[in-house]
Amino acid sequence: MKLHQLENRAQSGYVTWGATWEKGTVREDSSFVLTNEKGETVPVQSSVAAYWPDHSVKWTSHSADAALIGACGEILPTEEKRNSERIAIEERENCLAVTAGSVSVNVRKTGNPVLTNLKCAGEKEIREARLILILEETAADGEDIYKKQSTYYGETREVQVEECGELKCVIRIEGVHRAKKNGRECCPFVLRVTIWNGSSKVDFQHTFIYDGNVSSDSLKGLGIQFLTGLEGAVYNRHVRMLGDHGDFHEPAVLLTIWRPRIPMEWYEAQLRGEELPTEDEVAEPFRQALEAMPIWNNYRLLQDAASHYVIEKQTSQTGCCFIEAQHGNRAPGAMAFGDAKGGFLVGKKDFWQKYPSSFEVNGLAEEETCATVWFWSPQVRAFDYRHYATRGYSQAYYEGFDEFGATPYGIANTNECSIEGYNGMIVSCDRLQVFNRQVQKPAVYLGDISYYHELRAFGYWSLKETGSAMERWLEDQLERAVDFYKNEVEIRNWYGFYNYGDFMHTYDRVRHCWKYDMGGYAWQNTELVPTLWLWLYFMRTQREDVFVLAEAMSRHCSEVDTYHMGPYKGIGSRHNVRHWGCSCKEARIGMAGHHRYYYYLTGDGRMKDVFDDVKDGDFALLNIDPLRFFYEKEKMVSPTHARSGPDWSTFCSNWMTQWERFDDKTYLEKIRTGIEDLKQTPLKLVSGSDFEYDPADSHLRYIGEKSGGGSHLQICMGGAQVWSELTLLLDDPEWTKMYADYGRFYYSTAEEQAEQSNGFVKGRFLSIPYLAAATGAFGAWYHQDEKLAKTTWRILMRAMISDYDTDGLQIHPVKDAGNQESLPEIDWVTTNFVSQWCLNVIMVLEFIRDQLPADWEEMKELMKGMPNDGFHKC
């Protein structure tokens, strides 16, 4: 597999990426050779990430130094066995002692702190690394309000060596936060510590799971603290923080004073970061000057909004305030601190995007210094987990049901940070910027677009082609869609700890904003799979800005919109004002298929937990039947219900992921069980879509031709993508035909439905037809049905154009609206429509491109006589 680096990424630093292989070509015990653009062999660590059904290797994960690979390279399987020495792990009574080149650390097996004696290449040592959580409880007494803050520290309960090779070691630490004062345990955590052999940077991936009392446990602070010791003259102790332009750099004592005078060249040298003589080496007037000046002991940088940060500092004297040092827009997310012998660089990924983030350095002038990376800064208002209302608004605002179902119990949030040691005086701004680039934009290596397409990586999708006028128009619409949402993220400030990565659902053309306050019209929460749209658009363009959107969406949706513990573990919450607000808790939100792209392309460790959480998500339906308001419980035979789509289709995605990752045939059999059940129904995949379901045996029990939520739900929540990919993996021609027949049936007339069903159905209404375009196109391709192909194009195009409007996704500027001087607006837009229309175009082109009219004249002829009532803008 030939490799190239994604544009606009770091050119150095150790990275992990994925490679995919043709079925039957790579064995499980194969080794791999990595060469760079010069043909030189580069050290690489490799592992298997997924298998084909024949147990040959489908996906692999590789780690190497981007500086050695360069802009391009090649990864090849080889039969030659490599005997490289692994990173050393010594198991001791209370810890695992890890040594990798210039890095060493003790990972505690139990208790607090989680790490001790961390050395990252420099002379300095992190004595302790501990996780900190602050919860706030508010009480009112008349007009008086009381707030109580309780501090918790992370305690390790389980340590696992998740990966260890010659270049990379990942230690997975699992535990819970424990109150310092009363011992209460709350909010589990998972911390992944990645150590590289050849790099002095240590990476942390921190996952926080909320299980507090929603009425009393507000999030006041969450972070990682690093305790170290500084020494020597306080005026040689510095802090440097990156800002919008350049940096903020100060020593603990600034050598500029009215009386007694200190030579200006000393001050200038100090601000250049040069080491100055110790107090024993300077004259008495200098020592007197030091005693007369304030010592700045504590520094903090707070990003309190996506467009504002402030740097503050405080003296070493007790009971004094912080003073403001600098205001700015977006802090890049890195700082450094230390003394004359060395110190540390610290960075947090998505620092301003996931505000409120902050850095703190406390005790810069003392013997013990504590640096904290705050994922939620205690300097801002505590996060309130309560819902925005005490009831649901099913009819008024498109919420699931009128019952109250908002609960954050079990949601998660994952953040990443890194630390690196250095020797000598404070590092330069340039050095800190290089480090920050590796944290914010690590290198990403990819194969050629055509290579992925040829191997059917992630199933069926089309290559970009612009040979005809209509192909160019379609590609223009796809590009406009992504560019519009990329800009909306910025214009609408879709940032923040619990929001970054998600889009909103429906636009309000009157207020010129999204319906942020209207129930199910607010946050999207994976509704109609914008995840799949973004990832497949990335697969066919490899645009870096699209990767950023898709990565952020996968991280958000897999964490915040999905439950990771409790009665709803493995499923998620439907779209709402609050990400966990809707009373509909459904499997589709947690579907593994949303995030397979991210995992296989990058090897992201947290996704392993996510896939493990959702693989048995069908059991959560025992706690919340998705059709509980449509059927009487006492008349049921099976314990719950599952629609063939989106419930069972989601289970297929989860099971398929578990099957391919581990070649776990147990989960393959679950898929086959459901397929065999469908084969026994009168209309096979067309039947239902409501079924009774038992997670214990994975059986779908046929209960007639009923579809409580609408037939379109079978395919618009990822069903089309999951089922079509299964046709490539399962050696089951009947299943392939079942799927193709379903696509044909969806677009059939009443007479054709009666013929195809032997009279069983005489005119079933199948809703929102453009959502089934990818399925219809598969049916046309499979059956070589030209009429069906033309019908599919007509329906898909009518959704975007009419006889009087062919603008498509056309932006119209609105003056002084949306808090913009000129607001670029598409006033009819919904994320449901854009996601599904774009996703269907990407797939339909793969199956029936040859039936796409070449130009507008041919398109008008194809659309002739078709009513405009399918036009989405209506």
Side-chain angles (χ1 to χ4, degrees):
M1 176 173 159
K2 295 185 183 300
L3 303 171
H4 62 270
Q5 195 179 95
L6 185 62
E7 62 185 353
N8 193 32
R9 310 296 287 195
Q11 303 297 307
S12 61
Y14 279 78
V15 294
T16 299
W17 74 94
T20 190
W21 308 97
E22 185 178 357
K23 182 180 177 181
T25 60
V26 179
R27 297 205 315 256
E28 182 180 22
D29 61 352
S30 295
S31 298
F32 293 86
V33 174
L34 173 64
T35 55
N36 62 18
E37 53 193 336
K38 299 177 183 178
E40 301 166 336
T41 301
V42 176
V44 63
Q45 179 173 317
S46 306
S47 60
V48 176
Y51 298 90
W52 288 104
D54 65 356
H55 199 70
S56 63
V57 173
K58 184 178 184 180
W59 283 93
T60 47
S61 181
H62 305 278
S63 299
D65 186 351
L68 297 179
I69 304 172
C72 58
E74 188 172 17
I75 185 80
L76 288 168
T78 177
E79 298 305 313
E80 181 180 341
K81 300 304 174 187
R82 299 169 58 222
N83 296 311
S84 301
E85 187 173 338
R86 293 175 178 268
I87 291 172
I89 300 179
E90 178 188 349
E91 183 160 0
R92 298 175 183 171
E93 183 179 356
N94 298 319
C95 70
L96 298 179
V98 184
T99 303
S102 60
V103 176
S104 62
V105 63
N106 293 333
V107 181
R108 295 279 297 273
K109 292 181 178 179
T110 58
N112 168 46
V114 292
L115 305 177
T116 60
N117 307 110
L118 170 61
K119 296 197 73 171
C120 312
E123 285 193 22
K124 296 295 177 184
E125 177 182 80
I126 298 296
R127 298 168 182 170
E128 294 183 359
R130 63 192 185 195
L131 309 185
I132 184 170
L133 167 70
I134 304 173
L135 296 178
E136 181 177 279
E137 182 177 352
T138 302
D141 182 7
E143 294 183 354
D144 297 329
I145 296 175
Y146 303 91
K147 293 186 177 182
K148 173 187 173 184
Q149 295 178 10
S150 301
T151 300
Y152 296 68
Y153 290 107
E155 290 199 352
T156 299
R157 296 297 164 82
E158 183 179 348
V159 174
Q160 173 191 357
V161 180
E162 190 169 78
E163 180 180 355
C164 188
E166 59 270 36
L167 297 180
K168 178 183 180 183
C169 177
V170 181
I171 307 293
R172 184 182 183 277
I173 305 168
E174 193 169 350
V176 67
H177 294 89
R178 184 180 176 87
K180 181 179 179 181
K181 188 172 183 180
N182 61 16
R184 179 198 177 200
E185 294 182 353
C186 189
C187 300
F189 69 85
V190 177
L191 180 69
R192 280 180 168 83
V193 184
T194 302
I195 300 162
W196 304 94
N197 190 4
S199 171
S200 54
K201 182 164 71 74
V202 177
D203 299 324
F204 297 86
Q205 190 179 61
H206 175 281
T207 299
F208 159 76
I209 304 172
Y210 183 79
D211 68 346
N213 184 329
V214 68
S215 63
S216 59
D217 290 323
S218 297
L219 179 62
K220 184 60 177 174
L222 179 71
I224 302 181
Q225 295 186 318
F226 300 101
L227 278 65
T228 187
L230 298 184
E231 56 189 295
V234 290
Y235 49 80
N236 280 330
R237 304 185 190 188
H238 292 245
V239 63
R240 189 186 295 276
M241 298 172 169
L242 293 183
D244 293 313
H245 308 283
D247 63 352
F248 171 88
H249 167 218
E250 283 192 2
V253 174
L254 291 158
L255 297 182
T256 177
I257 188 173
W258 180 35
R259 292 175 182 169
R261 297 286 186 181
I262 295 177
M264 180 57 71
E265 54 267 28
W266 282 49
Y267 182 48
E268 292 171 344
Q270 185 188 35
L271 269 293
R272 289 194 298 268
E274 297 176 11
E275 182 179 1
L276 299 177
T278 65
E279 294 182 43
D280 294 336
E281 298 172 318
V282 297
E284 180 61 28
F286 184 86
R287 289 195 290 271
Q288 293 175 0
L290 288 177
E291 295 175 359
M293 291 187 289
I295 297 173
W296 298 103
N297 196 44
N298 305 319
Y299 284 82
R300 66 189 183 202
L301 186 162
L302 166 64
Q303 184 81 43
D304 54 5
S307 55
H308 177 261
Y309 72 82
V310 60
I311 298 175
E312 300 175 315
K313 64 181 184 179
Q314 183 185 51
T315 63
S316 57
Q317 300 162 44
T318 303
C320 295
C321 69
F322 275 86
I323 66 169
E324 296 176 356
Q326 184 183 99
H327 286 264
N329 183 21
R330 291 173 170 172
M335 72 166 182
F337 69 98
D339 58 30
K341 291 186 177 181
F344 297 93
L345 304 93
V346 181
K348 178 191 176 296
K349 191 175 189 296
D350 296 329
F351 186 81
W352 61 266
Q353 292 93 331
K354 291 192 71 173
Y355 74 90
S357 308
S358 67
F359 292 134
E360 285 188 8
V361 178
N362 294 315
L364 186 63
E366 298 174 11
E367 291 184 359
E368 182 172 88
T369 303
C370 178
T372 306
V373 180
W374 290 107
F375 306 130
W376 184 277
S377 176
Q379 303 308 315
V380 303
R381 183 177 59 187
F383 186 86
D384 187 347
Y385 289 95
R386 293 175 299 173
H387 198 44
Y388 78 99
T390 57
R391 53 157 291 184
Y393 297 95
S394 63
Q395 299 304 307
Y397 281 166
Y398 189 38
E399 294 191 327
F401 302 108
D402 285 334
E403 65 176 352
F404 183 82
T407 174
Y409 187 97
I411 66 166
N413 202 297
T414 291
N415 295 273
E416 297 170 87
C417 66
S418 299
I419 188 168
E420 182 174 345
Y422 67 87
N423 285 319
M425 287 295 294
I426 189 76
V427 296
S428 67
C429 180
D430 289 346
R431 173 68 186 86
L432 187 55
Q433 287 174 332
V434 169
F435 168 79
N436 188 57
R437 186 75 169 166
Q438 294 175 2
V439 173
Q440 307 299 336
K441 297 270 191 177
V444 174
Y445 285 97
L446 300 165
D448 294 336
I449 295 173
S450 59
Y451 176 81
Y452 291 126
H453 180 263
E454 181 183 355
L455 266 59
R456 296 290 184 204
F458 308 115
Y460 290 102
W461 48 275
S462 61
L463 294 173
K464 179 179 179 180
E465 295 182 24
T466 55
S468 72
M470 289 313 304
E471 284 176 322
R472 289 191 292 274
W473 186 86
L474 287 173
E475 294 298 337
D476 182 53
Q477 298 305 308
L478 295 176
E479 184 175 10
R480 286 187 191 184
V482 164
D483 289 345
F484 174 76
Y485 275 88
K486 172 188 167 185
N487 291 333
E488 284 296 282
V489 171
E490 179 68 13
I491 291 170
R492 310 296 178 174
N493 192 36
W494 290 342
Y495 297 112
F497 186 79
Y498 277 122
N499 293 335
Y500 179 55
D502 208 356
F503 295 163
M504 284 213 169
H505 190 285
T506 300
Y507 195 71
D508 186 334
R509 66 195 306 171
V510 179
R511 287 190 290 174
H512 301 289
C513 68
W514 295 80
K515 296 182 178 181
Y516 67 92
D517 54 352
M518 294 187 176
Y521 294 117
W523 290 113
Q524 190 74 13
N525 280 35
T526 78
E527 173 88 345
L528 272 63
V529 293
T531 46
L532 305 191
W533 156 46
L534 290 180
W535 278 117
L536 285 182
Y537 189 72
F538 172 75
M539 292 301 296
R540 65 201 304 272
T541 63
Q542 293 193 358
R543 279 176 45 177
E544 195 270 345
D545 55 349
V546 179
F547 180 86
V548 171
L549 288 174
E551 177 187 38
M553 184 171 286
S554 273
R555 181 68 77 207
H556 166 86
C557 294
S558 65
E559 302 287 357
V560 182
D561 300 342
T562 305
Y563 292 104
H564 303 271
M565 65 182 297
Y568 305 140
K569 180 180 178 180
I571 64 176
S573 263
R574 183 177 170 271
H575 43 106
N576 199 262
V577 171
R578 299 285 262 176
H579 292 286
W580 48 87
C582 188
S583 59
C584 289
K585 311 300 181 185
E586 298 205 355
R588 60 184 171 88
I589 293 100
M591 182 177 70
H594 294 299
H595 318 301
R596 288 168 69 236
Y597 309 85
Y598 184 51
Y599 174 67
Y600 289 130
L601 291 174
T602 69
D604 179 75
R606 170 60 183 162
M607 286 300 160
K608 298 176 183 179
D609 296 341
V610 170
F611 295 152
D612 191 57
D613 288 342
V614 305
K615 73 180 191 299
D616 297 317
D618 54 326
F619 282 87
L621 270 60
L622 295 173
N623 300 318
I624 186 164
D625 187 331
L627 298 176
R628 59 195 178 279
F629 290 106
F630 293 89
Y631 298 94
E632 297 178 46
K633 183 73 173 178
E634 57 272 14
K635 295 181 180 180
M636 292 167 53
V637 175
S638 302
T640 188
H641 287 91
R643 296 156 291 183
S644 54
D647 304 314
W648 182 76
S649 60
T650 292
F651 303 156
C652 287
S653 177
N654 299 342
W655 297 336
M656 179 177 72
T657 304
Q658 182 71 6
W659 167 38
E660 67 183 359
R661 286 181 61 215
F662 301 106
D663 196 16
D664 189 338
K665 299 296 196 299
T666 302
Y667 288 84
L668 168 60
E669 289 308 311
K670 288 175 180 285
I671 298 172
R672 286 177 170 162
T673 296
I675 289 176
E676 292 304 315
D677 289 338
L678 290 169
K679 287 178 181 179
Q680 304 308 311
T681 64
L683 301 176
K684 299 187 178 179
L685 193 54
V686 175
S687 277
S689 59
D690 296 353
F691 291 83
E692 287 185 6
Y693 178 71
D694 189 350
D697 57 21
S698 307
H699 276 294
L700 294 166
R701 179 177 175 271
Y702 179 65
I703 56 174
E705 300 301 312
K706 303 174 183 178
S707 185
S711 56
H712 63 285
L713 294 178
Q714 278 185 283
I715 35 77
C716 69
M717 305 291 186
Q721 292 69 40
V722 174
W723 289 341
S724 62
E725 187 170 359
L726 280 174
T727 67
L728 297 168
L729 299 176
L730 298 173
D731 186 16
D732 187 346
E734 186 177 358
W735 164 251
T736 303
K737 185 176 184 300
M738 285 167 60
Y739 180 59
D741 289 348
Y742 177 75
R744 182 174 60 180
F745 190 89
Y746 212 102
Y747 288 163
S748 295
T749 64
E751 293 77 14
E752 291 168 339
Q753 287 181 0
E755 181 182 351
Q756 293 168 27
S757 65
N758 295 319
F760 189 78
V761 173
K762 298 181 176 64
R764 174 181 295 179
F765 173 72
L766 296 170
S767 52
I768 319 181
Y770 84 91
L771 297 175
T775 306
F778 184 92
W781 170 75
Y782 177 88
H783 290 292
Q784 293 298 291
D785 187 333
E786 184 176 331
K787 178 186 175 184
L788 177 57
K790 291 183 182 300
T791 298
T792 301
W793 275 120
R794 292 177 74 194
I795 290 171
L796 184 58
M797 294 301 292
R798 175 57 83 217
M800 181 64 87
I801 65 174
S802 71
D803 294 339
Y804 53 85
D805 187 341
T806 59
D807 287 345
L809 293 164
Q810 182 66 48
I811 289 174
H812 298 281
V814 182
K815 188 176 186 302
D816 292 332
N819 199 31
Q820 303 290 309
E821 182 178 356
S822 179
L823 175 69
E825 184 179 74
I826 303 176
D827 65 5
W828 54 268
V829 73
T830 72
T831 305
N832 273 5
F833 175 75
V834 173
S835 298
Q836 275 294 302
W837 191 84
C838 292
L839 180 58
N840 276 279
V841 167
I842 289 170
M843 296 192 70
V844 169
L845 282 169
E846 179 65 5
F847 297 122
I848 53 172
R849 184 189 294 270
D850 60 333
Q851 295 298 322
L852 174 69
D855 53 35
W856 281 110
E857 288 302 315
E858 290 187 15
M859 180 60 70
K860 289 177 182 177
E861 185 65 27
L862 178 68
M863 306 291 282
K864 187 178 294 183
M866 190 175 188
N868 285 317
D869 58 7
F871 183 40
H872 184 72
K873 295 183 192 178
C874 295

